[in-house]
Amino acid sequence: MDEHKENIHAEDVNVKMSNTREKAEKAKPCSRICPDEESAPQESPSQSNSDFSHPVYKEIALANGHINRMSKEELRIKLAELQLDTRGVKDVMKKRLKSHYKKQKLLQSASEGGPTDTYYDYICVVDFEATCEEDNPSDFHHEIIEFPMVLINTHTLEIVDSFQAYVKPELNPQLSDFCVKLTGITQKMVDEAELFPAVLQRVVAWLQERELGTTYKYAILTDGAWDMSKFLNIQCRLSRIRYPQFAKKWINIRKSYGNFYKVPRTQTKLSTMLEKLGLKYEGRPHSGLDDSRNIARIALRMLQDGCQLRVNERIHAGQLLSVPSSAPVEGAPAPHNPRSRD
């Protein structure tokens, strides 16, 4: 549903978009990328001023400078020698090779008591499907009809689990023909589904069973800002429940991808990101679960290429805000059952 989400009317009464912060965020690089000739690392207030003065980062910078001067064929040959993936455009291969040397140096540094570079134990990918019309009127309220989650282990770099539930819409219980054709979700599927508050309780239980936010540090990841700032925000209002605390901050992978590979936002659609990374879409487009799995594949490739995915957006009082790369890195809080607004 990623391309269709972009056509949703921007000025919704339930969501106030912060364009100023959004524009400012576009210029910021992905935090804690290895220092090189292209970008310097971003420090958070919780870091000491000498974090990046460690000799290991100077060695990484020298290696990155050499990689920046390599041709595409030289990059491919070197990646093949190291038995690394040779797919993708030149900038992707550069990041991959830099990541390899960075990991080697940091592993060596960690064994000697030096710095390491990790943020979360798990990343939870979410990509909602919602009710829609072919030409969404400005006053149309999108209701979530599929709630999928795909769980990434950042240590093993694998998809380790998934969750999926369909949701019964209340405001517009009859799905449009366009919505059925786009998402593959039938009227029978939603008629037999639970209402959103009950589904959200199942989501919370699923997260709790995996000890996320308690034993393990985790973050939510989405393909764009719409899922959390618009769809979930509207749905919670319609269902008369409070917006869940664990979903108030998330990683917008489009921002992370654009900043890390240094490409314009026009090249951060799901299909384009897959293509540039040398990957093909697997499954049915606009299936929430399949979209989430493919977004997870992009996230895994980015982690393999050395991007330190971190929270970059949040919602506050219904307003979408950017999280600066200088902010302290925090995992999502432990999930709890939704509370009523009444």
Side-chain angles (χ1 to χ4, degrees), residues 87-302:
R87 294 175 295 177
V89 296
K90 183 178 178 180
D91 286 344
V92 167
M93 290 193 289
K94 281 169 59 177
K95 288 292 185 184
R96 189 169 298 140
L97 189 54
K98 289 177 182 180
S99 173
H100 173 78
Y101 284 116
K102 179 185 179 185
K103 286 179 180 178
Q104 294 300 313
K105 291 294 183 183
L106 287 176
L107 282 172
Q108 179 183 351
S109 172
S111 67
E112 297 169 355
T116 59
D117 219 9
T118 57
Y119 285 146
Y120 313 107
D121 298 308
Y122 291 94
I123 290 175
C124 194
V125 181
V126 179
D127 192 78
F128 297 125
E129 296 303 318
T131 55
C132 55
E133 303 284 350
E134 188 165 8
D135 296 309
N136 290 307
S138 59
D139 60 347
F140 186 82
H141 292 290
H142 301 273
E143 296 175 82
I144 293 173
I145 55 175
E146 183 184 359
F147 200 138
M149 303 186 95
V150 172
L151 194 62
I152 295 171
N153 184 319
T154 63
H155 302 294
T156 63
L157 296 181
E158 294 175 311
I159 293 174
V160 293
D161 211 343
S162 63
F163 171 92
Q164 181 192 37
Y166 296 111
V167 185
K168 179 186 291 187
E170 293 186 85
L171 196 62
N172 295 294
Q174 187 69 35
L175 302 182
S176 68
D177 292 340
F178 173 80
C179 184
V180 172
K181 184 176 180 181
L182 179 72
T183 66
I185 299 172
T186 66
Q187 188 65 46
K188 185 174 185 290
M189 289 177 179
V190 296
D191 285 345
E192 296 177 351
E194 295 178 295
L195 297 176
F196 182 78
V199 171
L200 185 56
Q201 286 184 351
R202 290 172 55 194
V203 168
V204 168
W206 187 83
L207 294 169
Q208 289 174 338
E209 287 168 6
R210 283 142 191 82
E211 301 180 278
L212 301 180
T214 51
T215 303
Y216 302 106
K217 192 174 181 179
Y218 78 110
I220 302 294
L221 182 146
T222 64
D223 176 32
W226 316 276
D227 292 276
M228 299 300 160
S229 68
K230 188 175 183 70
F231 293 154
L232 184 57
N233 189 32
I234 291 173
Q235 185 62 62
C236 287
R237 291 174 181 269
L238 293 175
S239 297
R240 303 295 301 167
I241 58 176
R242 296 188 183 278
Y243 190 101
Q245 290 290 328
F246 72 86
K248 285 195 170 183
K249 295 181 182 179
W250 61 89
I251 301 166
N252 179 342
I253 198 169
R254 294 195 179 201
K255 282 187 176 181
S256 300
Y257 181 95
N259 291 336
F260 185 67
Y261 294 118
K262 295 181 172 57
V263 298
R265 290 296 163 81
T266 55
Q267 295 182 25
T268 60
K269 291 182 180 180
L270 177 56
S271 57
T272 305
M273 290 190 287
L274 286 167
E275 180 185 353
K276 294 296 183 181
L277 292 174
L279 303 172
K280 293 184 178 180
Y281 188 95
E282 295 178 356
R284 186 196 189 285
H286 308 301
S287 155
L289 184 58
D290 286 346
D291 279 355
S292 297
R293 285 174 175 154
N294 283 278
I295 295 164
R297 291 170 63 218
I298 293 170
L300 285 170
R301 180 56 60 83
M302 292 177 67

Side-chain angles (χ1 to χ4, degrees), residues 29-47:
C30 186
S31 174
R32 294 197 69 165
I33 299 172
C34 49
D36 57 25
E37 294 178 358
E38 297 173 336
S39 62
Q42 302 294 307
E43 296 185 44
S44 71
S46 62
Q47 294 173 309

